[in-house]
Amino acid sequence: MKRMKLEQLIDLCKLMNDSFGLPMHYCNPHDRIEYSLTPAGISLTDHSELHERIIMLITNSDRQKIKGPYIQSTSLLENYIEIRMEDGDVYLGSIVAGPSIYSRIPQEMLTGLARDHRITDAHELQRHYDSLLIMDKKKLLNAAALLYYLVYQIRMDMTDIMLNNRIDPKFLSLGDHVDVQVSDQRIDIAFHHDPMYEKELMQLVTDGRPEELVSRLELSQTTEGIGTLSRKSHVRHQKNLSIVGIALMTRAAVEGGLHPEIAYTMSDLYIQQIEEMTDVNEVNTALLRSTYDFANRVKESKDGDYSKAVVACKQYIFNHLYEDVSLQQLSRWVHMNSSYLSRLFKQETGVSISEYIQRQRIEEAKKLLILTDLSLSEIYARLNFTDQSYFTKVFKKLAGVTPKQFREGKRQHQAQAGKGNEE
C-alpha cells in the first residue's frame, strides 16, 4: 500500500466516524496512539483504559495470523476492528475502530460480567456500556470491509472476513483426534428446544453446509433474547449455552448421515475442551469451530463416495435449485461430455440427473412447507414446477402424502409437542 500522511489518516478516521459513529484511532509503528476520535460520552477516565486495550489488541500474538481486517471482541463484550497497514514487510501502524457492542447488555448478564472481572462498581460498568455504540454483526463487518477498502483498495467478502477471524487455528487440531479417540462413553442429552431459528441452523448442519452455517451464526450474534444459564458467572453461562448448542448439533449431524460414534466423540471432545476454558471469547470461538466441524463432517460424509464430477454437479444443483438446471449446463460446468456425465451420475447415485433434481426440489419443498407460511402455488412456482397439479403428483410419489397433508401433519405434531412441554 502507499504510505499515508497523518492528515490523510485523520481524514479517513473522520469519514468512518461520520459514516458509522465508531470511535476511531491511529496507532503509529511504535504502538503509540497518535490520534483518537471518541464520543464525549465514553466513560473511561482520560481514555487511558481504552488506549491500553487498543495497544493489547494490535500487539496480540494471534493478530499476525489474520489476513485482512481483524475483528476482536474483549471478554467485556466490546468489539474492535483493526486494519494493519503494511508496505511489504514494513509495519506502518494500525487504524482501530471501536469499541462498540452488538446490543444492550441485560442486567443479569452485566452482573455476571462484573463478577467475572471482579468489578465492584457495577453502576460504572453500566454507564460505560450505555456510552458505547450499538452495532450489530452485519454492520460491523460492513464497516470492517469499507475500512479495509479505504486503506488497501481491495474488496473483501463478509464471509471471508468472518472465517479469517473466527475459525481460530488453535482449535483446528481437535478434529485430528476424532477418528482416533472414539470413546465408549456417550452423553445422554435431553432437550426440548423448538424455535424456528434453531431449526434452520440445525437444518444447515444436517445438510452439511458449513460456510452458510458460520455466516448465519456470525450475522445473528447478539446478547438479546438469550436465556440466562448461569446467574453467577457470564463465562459459565456461555459454557452452558455452548454445551446445549453442541448437543443439538450432534443430533443434527447424525440425522444428516454422520456416523453416531464420530458425532458423539466430537461432542465429548469439544465439551471437554470448553470446560477447561476460562475466557468467554475462547468459549465462543470453540463453539463456532465445533459448528463448522459438525457441518463439514456431514458434508464430507455425503460427498465421500462420489467422483469429483458428480460432487461438483450436486453442488451446482444445490446452488441453482431455484433455477432451471439442465444436463447441458452441468456438462459445461464440469467440462465433460453430456452423455458420459449422464451415465456416470446414474452409475454413482442410482438415479438420473433429472430425477435427482426432482428429488432435491421436493426436499426443498418440505423445508418450505415446515419453515415458512408460503402458499403451495408460491412454493411450486419458486421450484420451477409447471403447475400445482404436477407438483402435488410428484410430491406424493416421493413423500407418500400430498403437500397439504405433509404441512398439516407436521404442524399438528409440533402443536402436540408444544402441549406436552407445557404440561
Side-chain angles (χ1 to χ4, degrees):
M1 61 163 287
K2 294 182 180 180
R3 295 177 184 243
M4 291 185 182
K5 296 179 180 179
L6 181 59
E7 293 79 9
Q8 292 174 301
L9 293 169
I10 290 175
D11 286 342
L12 191 153
C13 288
K14 288 180 177 178
L15 177 62
M16 290 296 296
N17 180 265
D18 289 341
S19 300
F20 294 94
L22 275 167
M24 298 297 301
H25 321 273
Y26 165 62
C27 303
N28 69 22
H30 307 292
D31 299 333
R32 290 197 299 270
I33 297 176
E34 287 196 25
Y35 175 77
S36 283
L37 183 62
T38 60
I42 285 200
S43 59
L44 297 174
T45 305
D46 294 329
H47 306 309
S48 57
E49 293 180 40
L50 175 63
H51 287 194
E52 182 180 337
R53 291 181 201 181
I54 292 171
I55 297 303
M56 289 177 63
L57 170 75
I58 65 177
T59 56
N60 187 336
S61 59
D62 290 335
R63 175 65 184 102
Q64 305 295 329
K65 305 170 187 175
I66 306 298
K67 302 299 181 184
Y70 182 43
I71 299 177
Q72 180 64 43
S73 296
T74 70
S75 56
L76 282 169
L77 307 183
E78 301 161 315
N79 301 315
Y80 292 87
I81 303 167
E82 186 216 352
I83 304 296
R84 185 179 176 89
M85 297 181 291
E86 296 173 316
D87 184 4
D89 295 330
V90 180
Y91 174 55
L92 305 177
S94 293
I95 295 179
V96 178
S100 65
I101 51 178
Y102 289 134
S103 59
R104 286 290 170 222
I105 309 297
Q107 184 59 47
E108 287 188 341
M109 185 177 290
L110 185 142
T111 303
L113 287 165
R115 285 174 178 165
D116 288 343
H117 293 271
R118 296 183 173 87
I119 297 173
T120 56
D121 191 346
H123 294 294
E124 177 63 23
L125 183 62
Q126 180 69 70
R127 285 193 292 272
H128 173 61
Y129 284 130
D130 288 343
S131 73
L132 297 183
L133 174 71
I134 295 178
M135 177 177 275
D136 64 30
K137 189 63 182 244
K138 186 174 183 180
K139 195 170 183 179
L140 188 73
L141 288 165
N142 282 329
L146 176 59
L147 185 54
Y148 189 74
Y149 181 79
L150 291 172
V151 174
Y152 284 99
Q153 287 75 56
I154 296 174
R155 294 190 63 175
M156 283 199 72
D157 183 80
M158 282 201 305
T159 302
D160 292 333
I161 296 175
M162 287 187 290
L163 292 175
N164 285 347
N165 278 273
R166 300 297 289 172
I167 306 302
D168 195 317
K170 63 187 174 186
F171 297 110
L172 292 176
S173 61
L174 181 58
D176 298 336
H177 302 288
V178 172
D179 296 321
V180 179
Q181 300 181 25
V182 177
S183 172
D184 293 332
Q185 297 180 347
R186 291 292 166 261
I187 297 176
D188 184 17
I189 305 168
F191 53 89
H192 52 271
H193 302 284
D194 194 35
M196 191 62 68
Y197 171 70
E198 180 181 280
K199 285 186 176 182
E200 293 172 353
L201 292 181
M202 293 307 105
Q203 189 64 53
L204 291 175
V205 175
T206 300
D207 290 345
R209 293 150 67 180
E211 291 80 11
E212 187 176 345
L213 178 61
V214 170
S215 177
R216 185 70 185 276
L217 278 170
E218 286 284 4
L219 293 179
S220 63
Q221 284 196 11
T222 180
T223 55
E224 295 177 344
I226 298 176
T228 302
L229 302 185
S230 174
R231 294 182 178 180
K232 295 183 178 180
S233 167
H234 183 61
V235 174
R236 184 67 259 172
H237 157 82
Q238 201 62 38
K239 284 184 179 182
N240 292 344
L241 193 65
S242 299
I243 290 169
V244 171
I246 289 171
L248 293 170
M249 287 186 289
T250 302
R251 301 293 189 183
V254 171
E255 185 179 341
L258 186 61
H259 194 286
E261 286 196 358
I262 294 177
Y264 285 123
T265 299
M266 291 176 69
S267 170
D268 292 345
L269 292 175
Y270 268 116
I271 290 173
Q272 290 166 16
Q273 185 184 62
I274 285 173
E275 279 296 333
E276 295 297 317
M277 294 174 176
T278 57
D279 182 85
V280 69
N281 286 321
E282 288 188 349
V283 175
N284 290 338
T285 301
L287 176 61
L288 191 69
R289 179 68 250 181
S290 69
T291 302
Y292 183 90
D293 279 351
F294 274 113
N296 197 49
R297 282 274 182 161
V298 173
K299 181 177 182 293
E300 290 174 351
S301 69
K302 291 178 183 292
D303 293 342
D305 297 329
Y306 301 105
S307 63
K308 289 184 179 180
V310 171
V311 170
C313 285
K314 291 173 70 177
Q315 188 62 46
Y316 184 91
I317 292 168
F318 173 83
N319 290 336
H320 300 272
L321 194 63
Y322 287 85
E323 303 169 26
D324 188 15
V325 181
S326 67
L327 173 59
Q328 288 68 32
Q329 286 174 306
L330 292 171
S331 62
R332 287 195 297 270
W333 179 251
V334 298
H335 306 291
M336 189 175 287
N337 176 273
S338 58
S339 297
Y340 177 74
L341 176 61
S342 180
R343 291 195 300 272
L344 179 67
F345 193 96
K346 186 166 186 177
Q347 177 183 333
E348 293 189 13
T349 65
V351 295
S352 66
I353 288 176
S354 60
E355 185 177 351
Y356 177 82
I357 294 172
Q358 198 173 69
R359 288 173 181 267
Q360 293 304 302
R361 285 178 174 157
I362 294 302
E363 288 302 312
E364 188 72 8
K366 289 180 181 179
K367 297 172 191 175
L368 295 176
L369 287 166
I370 296 171
L371 300 175
T372 76
D373 291 320
L374 292 172
S375 66
L376 295 186
S377 59
E378 288 175 310
I379 291 174
Y380 82 71
R382 286 189 179 199
L383 293 169
N384 286 297
F385 284 92
T386 54
D387 56 58
Q388 186 167 327
S389 176
Y390 178 63
F391 169 63
T392 300
K393 179 181 177 181
V394 175
F395 191 100
K396 187 173 183 179
K397 176 184 175 183
L398 296 176
V401 293
T402 66
K404 184 178 180 181
Q405 290 169 335
F406 179 84
R407 172 175 269 174
E408 290 175 349
K410 288 293 182 181
R411 289 183 173 176
Q412 186 177 16
H413 176 74
Q414 290 171 355
Q416 290 173 346
K419 290 180 180 179
N421 290 334
E422 291 176 2
E423 295 170 0

